Coordinates of all heavy atoms in Angstrom, one line a residue:
M16 N 12.4 20.6 4.3 CA 13.7 20.0 4.6 C 13.6 18.5 4.3 O 12.6 17.8 4.6 CB 14.0 20.2 6.1 CG 15.3 19.5 6.5 SD 15.8 19.8 8.2 CE 16.3 21.5 8.1
S17 N 14.6 17.9 3.8 CA 14.7 16.5 3.5 C 15.9 15.9 4.2 O 16.8 16.6 4.6 CB 14.7 16.2 2.0 OG 15.9 16.6 1.5
C18 N 15.9 14.6 4.3 CA 17.1 13.9 4.9 C 18.3 14.0 4.1 O 19.4 13.8 4.6 CB 16.8 12.5 5.3 SG 16.4 11.5 3.9
E19 N 18.2 14.5 2.8 CA 19.4 14.7 2.0 C 20.2 15.9 2.5 O 21.4 15.9 2.2 CB 19.0 14.9 0.5 CG 18.3 13.7 -0.1 CD 17.7 14.0 -1.4 OE1 17.6 15.1 -1.8 OE2 17.3 13.0 -2.1
D20 N 19.6 16.8 3.2 CA 20.2 18.0 3.7 C 20.8 17.8 5.1 O 21.6 18.6 5.6 CB 19.2 19.1 3.8 CG 18.6 19.4 2.4 OD1 19.3 19.3 1.4 OD2 17.5 19.8 2.4
L21 N 20.5 16.7 5.8 CA 20.9 16.5 7.2 C 22.2 15.7 7.3 O 22.4 14.7 6.5 CB 19.8 15.8 7.9 CG 18.4 16.5 8.0 CD1 17.4 15.6 8.7 CD2 18.6 17.8 8.7
I22 N 23.0 16.1 8.3 CA 24.2 15.3 8.6 C 24.0 14.8 10.0 O 23.6 15.4 10.9 CB 25.4 16.3 8.6 CG1 25.6 16.9 7.2 CG2 26.7 15.5 9.0 CD1 25.9 15.9 6.1
C23 N 24.3 13.5 10.1 CA 24.1 12.8 11.4 C 25.2 13.3 12.4 O 26.4 13.4 12.1 CB 24.3 11.3 11.2 SG 24.1 10.3 12.7
A24 N 24.8 13.6 13.6 CA 25.7 14.0 14.7 C 26.5 12.8 15.2 O 27.6 13.0 15.8 CB 25.0 14.6 15.8
R25 N 26.0 11.6 15.0 CA 26.7 10.4 15.6 C 27.8 9.9 14.7 O 28.9 9.7 15.1 CB 25.7 9.3 15.8 CG 26.3 8.1 16.4 CD 25.2 7.1 16.8 NE 25.8 5.9 17.4 CZ 25.2 4.8 17.6 NH1 24.0 4.7 17.2 NH2 25.8 3.8 18.1
C26 N 27.5 9.8 13.3 CA 28.5 9.3 12.4 C 29.1 10.3 11.4 O 30.0 10.0 10.6 CB 27.9 8.1 11.7 SG 26.7 8.5 10.5
S27 N 28.6 11.5 11.4 CA 29.0 12.6 10.5 C 28.8 12.3 9.0 O 29.6 12.8 8.2 CB 30.5 12.9 10.8 OG 30.6 13.4 12.1
N28 N 27.9 11.4 8.7 CA 27.6 11.1 7.3 C 26.2 11.6 7.0 O 25.4 11.9 7.9 CB 27.6 9.6 7.1 CG 29.1 9.1 7.1 OD1 29.9 9.6 6.5 ND2 29.3 8.1 8.0
P29 N 25.8 11.8 5.7 CA 24.5 12.2 5.4 C 23.5 11.2 5.9 O 23.7 10.0 5.8 CB 24.5 12.2 3.8 CG 25.9 12.4 3.5 CD 26.7 11.7 4.5
V30 N 22.4 11.7 6.5 CA 21.3 10.9 7.0 C 20.7 9.9 5.9 O 20.3 8.8 6.2 CB 20.2 11.7 7.7 CG1 19.0 10.9 8.1 CG2 20.8 12.4 8.9
V31 N 20.7 10.4 4.7 CA 20.1 9.7 3.6 C 20.8 8.4 3.4 O 20.2 7.4 2.9 CB 20.0 10.5 2.3 CG1 21.4 10.7 1.7 CG2 19.1 9.9 1.3
E32 N 22.1 8.3 3.7 CA 22.8 7.0 3.5 C 22.5 6.0 4.6 O 22.6 4.8 4.4 CB 24.3 7.3 3.6 CG 24.8 8.1 2.4 CD 26.2 8.5 2.4 OE1 26.9 8.0 3.3 OE2 26.7 9.2 1.5
G33 N 22.0 6.4 5.8 CA 21.6 5.5 6.8 C 22.7 4.6 7.3 O 22.4 3.4 7.5
R34 N 23.8 5.1 7.6 CA 25.0 4.2 8.0 C 24.9 3.7 9.4 O 25.5 2.7 9.7 CB 26.3 4.9 7.7 CG 26.6 5.2 6.3 CD 27.9 5.7 6.1 NE 28.2 6.0 4.7 CZ 29.3 6.4 4.2 NH1 30.3 6.7 5.0 NH2 29.5 6.6 2.9
C35 N 24.3 4.5 10.3 CA 24.2 4.1 11.7 C 22.7 4.0 12.1 O 21.9 4.5 11.4 CB 25.0 5.0 12.6 SG 24.2 6.6 12.8
P36 N 22.4 3.4 13.2 CA 21.0 3.3 13.7 C 20.4 4.6 13.8 O 19.2 4.8 13.5 CB 21.1 2.5 15.0 CG 22.4 1.8 15.0 CD 23.3 2.6 14.1
T37 N 21.1 5.6 14.3 CA 20.5 6.9 14.5 C 20.1 7.5 13.1 O 19.0 8.1 13.0 CB 21.5 7.9 15.1 OG1 21.9 7.3 16.4 CG2 20.9 9.2 15.4
C38 N 20.9 7.3 12.1 CA 20.6 7.8 10.7 C 19.3 7.1 10.2 O 18.4 7.7 9.6 CB 21.7 7.5 9.8 SG 23.2 8.4 10.0
R39 N 19.3 5.8 10.4 CA 18.1 5.0 9.9 C 16.8 5.4 10.6 O 15.8 5.5 9.9 CB 18.4 3.5 10.1 CG 19.5 3.0 9.1 CD 19.6 1.5 9.1 NE 20.2 1.0 10.3 CZ 21.5 0.9 10.5 NH1 22.3 1.2 9.5 NH2 22.0 0.4 11.6
I40 N 16.9 5.7 11.9 CA 15.7 6.1 12.6 C 15.2 7.5 12.1 O 14.1 7.8 11.8 CB 15.9 6.2 14.1 CG1 16.1 4.7 14.6 CG2 14.8 6.9 14.9 CD1 16.5 4.6 16.1
A41 N 16.2 8.4 12.0 CA 15.9 9.8 11.5 C 15.3 9.8 10.1 O 14.3 10.5 9.8 CB 17.1 10.7 11.6
R42 N 15.9 8.9 9.3 CA 15.4 8.8 7.9 C 14.0 8.2 7.8 O 13.1 8.8 7.1 CB 16.4 7.9 7.1 CG 16.0 7.9 5.6 CD 17.0 7.0 4.8 NE 17.0 5.7 5.4 CZ 17.9 4.7 5.0 NH1 18.9 5.0 4.2 NH2 17.8 3.5 5.5
S43 N 13.7 7.3 8.6 CA 12.4 6.7 8.6 C 11.3 7.7 9.2 O 10.2 7.7 8.7 CB 12.3 5.4 9.4 OG 12.5 5.6 10.8
Q44 N 11.7 8.5 10.1 CA 10.8 9.5 10.7 C 10.6 10.6 9.7 O 9.4 11.1 9.6 CB 11.4 10.1 12.0 CG 11.3 9.1 13.1 CD 11.9 9.7 14.4 OE1 12.6 10.7 14.4 NE2 11.7 9.0 15.5
M45 N 11.6 11.0 8.9 CA 11.4 12.0 7.9 C 10.5 11.6 6.8 O 9.8 12.4 6.2 CB 12.8 12.4 7.3 CG 13.7 13.1 8.3 SD 13.2 14.8 8.6 CE 13.5 15.6 7.0
H46 N 10.5 10.3 6.5 CA 9.7 9.8 5.3 C 8.4 9.2 5.7 O 7.7 8.7 4.9 CB 10.5 8.7 4.6 CG 11.7 9.3 3.9 ND1 11.6 9.9 2.6 CD2 13.0 9.5 4.2 CE1 12.8 10.4 2.3 NE2 13.6 10.1 3.2
R47 N 8.1 9.2 7.0 CA 6.8 8.7 7.5 C 5.7 9.7 7.1 O 5.8 10.9 7.4 CB 6.8 8.5 9.0 CG 5.6 7.8 9.5 CD 5.6 7.6 11.0 NE 6.9 6.9 11.3 CZ 7.5 6.9 12.4 NH1 7.0 7.7 13.4 NH2 8.5 6.2 12.7
H48 N 4.7 9.2 6.5 CA 3.5 10.1 6.1 C 2.3 9.4 6.6 O 2.3 8.2 6.9 CB 3.4 10.2 4.6 CG 4.7 10.8 4.0 ND1 5.0 12.2 4.1 CD2 5.7 10.3 3.2 CE1 6.1 12.4 3.5 NE2 6.5 11.3 2.9
G49 N 1.3 10.2 6.7 CA 0.0 9.7 7.2 C -0.6 8.7 6.2 O -0.1 8.6 5.0
P50 N -1.6 8.0 6.6 CA -2.2 7.1 5.6 C -2.8 7.9 4.4 O -3.4 8.9 4.6 CB -3.3 6.4 6.4 CG -3.6 7.3 7.6 CD -2.3 8.1 7.8
S51 N -2.7 7.3 3.3 CA -3.2 8.0 2.1 C -3.8 7.0 1.2 O -3.5 5.8 1.2 CB -2.1 8.7 1.4 OG -1.1 7.8 0.9
L52 N -4.8 7.5 0.4 CA -5.5 6.6 -0.6 C -4.7 6.7 -1.9 O -4.3 7.8 -2.3 CB -6.9 7.1 -0.7 CG -7.8 7.0 0.5 CD1 -9.1 7.7 0.2 CD2 -8.0 5.6 0.9
P53 N -4.6 5.6 -2.6 CA -4.1 5.6 -3.9 C -4.9 6.5 -4.9 O -6.1 6.5 -4.7 CB -4.1 4.1 -4.4 CG -4.5 3.3 -3.2 CD -5.0 4.2 -2.2
P54 N -4.3 7.1 -5.8 CA -5.1 8.0 -6.7 C -6.2 7.3 -7.5 O -7.2 7.8 -7.7 CB -4.0 8.5 -7.7 CG -2.7 8.4 -6.9 CD -2.9 7.2 -6.0
A55 N -5.9 6.0 -7.8 CA -6.9 5.2 -8.6 C -8.2 5.1 -7.7 O -9.3 5.1 -8.2 CB -6.4 3.9 -9.0
L56 N -8.0 4.9 -6.4 CA -9.1 4.7 -5.5 C -9.9 6.0 -5.4 O -11.2 6.0 -5.4 CB -8.7 4.2 -4.1 CG -9.8 3.9 -3.1 CD1 -10.7 2.8 -3.6 CD2 -9.1 3.4 -1.8
V57 N -9.2 7.1 -5.2 CA -9.9 8.4 -5.2 C -10.7 8.6 -6.4 O -11.8 9.1 -6.4 CB -8.9 9.5 -4.9 CG1 -9.5 10.9 -5.0 CG2 -8.2 9.3 -3.6
L58 N -10.1 8.4 -7.6 CA -10.8 8.5 -8.8 C -12.1 7.7 -8.9 O -13.1 8.1 -9.3 CB -9.9 8.2 -10.0 CG -10.5 8.4 -11.4 CD1 -10.9 9.9 -11.6 CD2 -9.5 8.0 -12.5
A59 N -11.9 6.4 -8.5 CA -13.1 5.5 -8.5 C -14.2 6.0 -7.6 O -15.4 5.9 -7.9 CB -12.6 4.1 -8.1
I60 N -13.9 6.5 -6.4 CA -14.9 7.1 -5.5 C -15.5 8.3 -6.1 O -16.8 8.4 -6.1 CB -14.2 7.4 -4.2 CG1 -13.8 6.2 -3.4 CG2 -15.1 8.3 -3.3 CD1 -12.9 6.4 -2.2
L61 N -14.8 9.1 -6.8 CA -15.4 10.3 -7.4 C -16.3 9.9 -8.6 O -17.4 10.5 -8.8 CB -14.3 11.2 -7.9 CG -13.5 12.0 -6.9 CD1 -12.3 12.8 -7.5 CD2 -14.4 12.9 -6.1
V62 N -15.9 8.9 -9.4 CA -16.8 8.5 -10.4 C -18.0 7.9 -9.9 O -19.1 8.1 -10.4 CB -16.0 7.4 -11.4 CG1 -16.9 6.7 -12.3 CG2 -14.9 8.1 -12.1
A63 N -17.9 7.1 -8.8 CA -19.1 6.5 -8.2 C -20.1 7.6 -7.6 O -21.3 7.5 -7.8 CB -18.7 5.6 -7.1
L64 N -19.5 8.6 -7.0 CA -20.3 9.7 -6.5 C -21.0 10.5 -7.7 O -22.2 10.9 -7.5 CB -19.5 10.7 -5.7 CG -19.1 10.2 -4.3 CD1 -18.1 11.1 -3.6 CD2 -20.3 9.9 -3.4
L65 N -20.3 10.7 -8.7 CA -20.9 11.3 -9.9 C -22.0 10.5 -10.5 O -23.1 11.0 -10.8 CB -19.8 11.5 -11.0 CG -20.3 12.2 -12.3 CD1 -20.9 13.6 -12.0 CD2 -19.2 12.2 -13.3
F66 N -21.8 9.2 -10.6 CA -22.9 8.3 -11.0 C -24.1 8.3 -10.1 O -25.3 8.4 -10.6 CB -22.3 6.8 -11.1 CG -23.4 5.8 -11.5 CD1 -23.8 5.8 -12.9 CD2 -23.9 4.9 -10.7 CE1 -24.7 4.9 -13.3 CE2 -24.8 4.0 -11.1 CZ -25.2 4.0 -12.4
V67 N -23.9 8.3 -8.8 CA -25.0 8.4 -7.9 C -25.8 9.7 -8.0 O -27.0 9.8 -8.0 CB -24.5 8.2 -6.4 CG1 -25.6 8.5 -5.4 CG2 -24.0 6.7 -6.2
A68 N -25.0 10.8 -8.2 CA -25.6 12.1 -8.4 C -26.5 12.1 -9.6 O -27.6 12.7 -9.6 CB -24.5 13.2 -8.4
L69 N -26.0 11.5 -10.7 CA -26.7 11.5 -12.0 C -28.0 10.7 -11.8 O -29.1 11.1 -12.3 CB -25.9 11.0 -13.1 CG -24.8 12.0 -13.6 CD1 -23.9 11.3 -14.6 CD2 -25.3 13.2 -14.1
V70 N -27.9 9.6 -11.1 CA -29.1 8.7 -10.9 C -30.1 9.4 -10.1 O -31.3 9.4 -10.4 CB -28.7 7.4 -10.3 CG1 -29.9 6.6 -9.8 CG2 -27.9 6.5 -11.3
L71 N -29.7 10.1 -9.0 CA -30.6 10.8 -8.1 C -31.3 12.0 -8.9 O -32.4 12.3 -8.6 CB -29.9 11.3 -6.9 CG -29.5 10.2 -5.9 CD1 -28.7 10.8 -4.7 CD2 -30.8 9.5 -5.4
Q72 N -30.5 12.6 -9.8 CA -31.1 13.7 -10.5 C -32.2 13.2 -11.5 O -33.2 13.9 -11.6 CB -30.0 14.4 -11.3 CG -30.5 15.6 -12.0 CD -29.3 16.3 -12.8 OE1 -28.3 15.7 -12.9 NE2 -29.6 17.5 -13.2
R73 N -32.1 12.1 -12.0 CA -33.1 11.5 -12.9 C -34.3 11.1 -12.1 O -35.4 11.2 -12.6 CB -32.5 10.3 -13.7 CG -31.8 10.6 -14.9 CD -31.7 9.4 -15.7 NE -31.2 9.6 -17.1 CZ -31.9 9.9 -18.1 NH1 -33.2 10.1 -18.0 NH2 -31.3 10.1 -19.3
V74 N -34.1 10.6 -10.9 CA -35.2 10.1 -10.1 C -36.1 11.2 -9.7 O -37.3 11.1 -9.7 CB -34.7 9.3 -8.9 CG1 -35.8 8.9 -7.9 CG2 -34.0 8.0 -9.4
Y75 N -35.5 12.3 -9.3 CA -36.3 13.5 -8.7 C -36.5 14.4 -9.8 O -36.5 15.4 -10.1 CB -35.6 14.0 -7.5 CG -35.5 13.1 -6.3 CD1 -34.3 12.5 -5.9 CD2 -36.6 12.7 -5.7 CE1 -34.2 11.7 -4.9 CE2 -36.6 11.9 -4.6 CZ -35.4 11.3 -4.2 OH -35.3 10.5 -3.1

């Protein structure tokens, strides 16, 4: 479900428009996500782990 599908009970407008305080609060709660890492950072971590694994394989 997204806020595009919701109608505000207070102002009777789509929540996505955010015309009243209730709409704006509901819209911000719908779009709140947990902390996430940027894809470039995840890729950099994976490359670093691969490099470490290759170095360790050569040592042992």
Side-chain angles (χ1 to χ4, degrees):
M16 177 180 285
S17 68
C18 60
E19 295 170 352
D20 301 325
L21 299 176
I22 302 296
C23 179
R25 183 174 180 194
C26 68
S27 300
N28 290 307
V30 171
V31 72
E32 293 177 6
R34 292 187 182 184
C35 72
T37 305
C38 291
R39 289 188 286 275
I40 291 170
R42 185 177 60 190
S43 70
Q44 288 176 349
M45 290 287 290
H46 291 277
R47 186 178 307 153
H48 302 288
S51 63
L52 297 174
L56 182 60
V57 173
L58 181 61
I60 291 170
L61 289 174
V62 168
L64 287 174
L65 178 64
F66 179 73
V67 169
L69 290 172
V70 168
L71 288 176
Q72 185 179 11
R73 276 198 174 269
V74 171
Y75 295 110

